[in-house]
Amino acid sequence: MIYGIPTYDLPLMAAVAFLSYLIGSIPFGLVLTALSGNGDIRKIGSGNIGATNVLRTGRKGLAAGTLALDGTKGAFAVFCAFVLCPFHTLAAESLAAIFAVAGHCFPVWLKFRGGKGVATGLGCILALMPGVGLCCCALWLIFAKVTRISSAGAIIAFAALPLLMIRPGRIDFSSPAYVAGCLIAVMILIRHHANIIRLLKGTEPRIGQKGA
């Protein structure tokens, strides 16, 4: 028994994980740019399917739509877990958050070459831990605005996530929500490894800078 979940409920948890992965793997950035006549977003700029790269097309509306939809799918996956697992809600929601971000980062439809999980991760954290999610959003926006580098804001926000989840006077490292937050942070930071190298070299593109 893990987190109080009996063996007979494990298939349901597996179904939540699978459903969340499918929800997270919907490539909204790719779909929106294709429908708008802007071609394959994977052939523009960094080749990423996220909102920051969509912005390099010069279409702010498409970038905003991608950001909103990628965030919404993360929150929606957590909500589905809440509905499907009323008896193990926190564990199910935490599992859904992990797999929604994994789906975005490694979608089977795109040969496991997806986005970097920032918007989807923020959507998951907002649904799972609203206060912590708002703090992450604030950090992302502040540092992205100050540096004009979206990846810098994302890296700071998710590097801080494990600390933001610690409640005053209480550190519950075994909580499924804490474990989920840490795994999501690690996943997103790993997906930003190339950005971290470019930041250290001073060659990371600025927000709105068009790709070749």
Side-chain angles (χ1 to χ4, degrees), residues 136-172:
C136 282
C137 288
L139 283 174
W140 177 42
L141 291 172
I142 291 169
F143 280 91
K145 185 170 181 61
V146 169
T147 63
R148 291 204 54 77
I149 301 175
S150 179
S151 61
I155 290 165
I156 292 294
F158 283 96
L161 178 57
L163 295 176
L164 293 173
M165 289 187 294
I166 297 176
R167 299 179 184 179
R170 178 185 174 188
I171 304 177
D172 191 359

Side-chain angles (χ1 to χ4, degrees), residues 48-61:
N48 191 266
I49 63 171
T52 300
N53 199 44
V54 173
L55 186 60
R56 294 190 178 107
T57 65
R59 301 286 297 275
K60 293 182 179 180

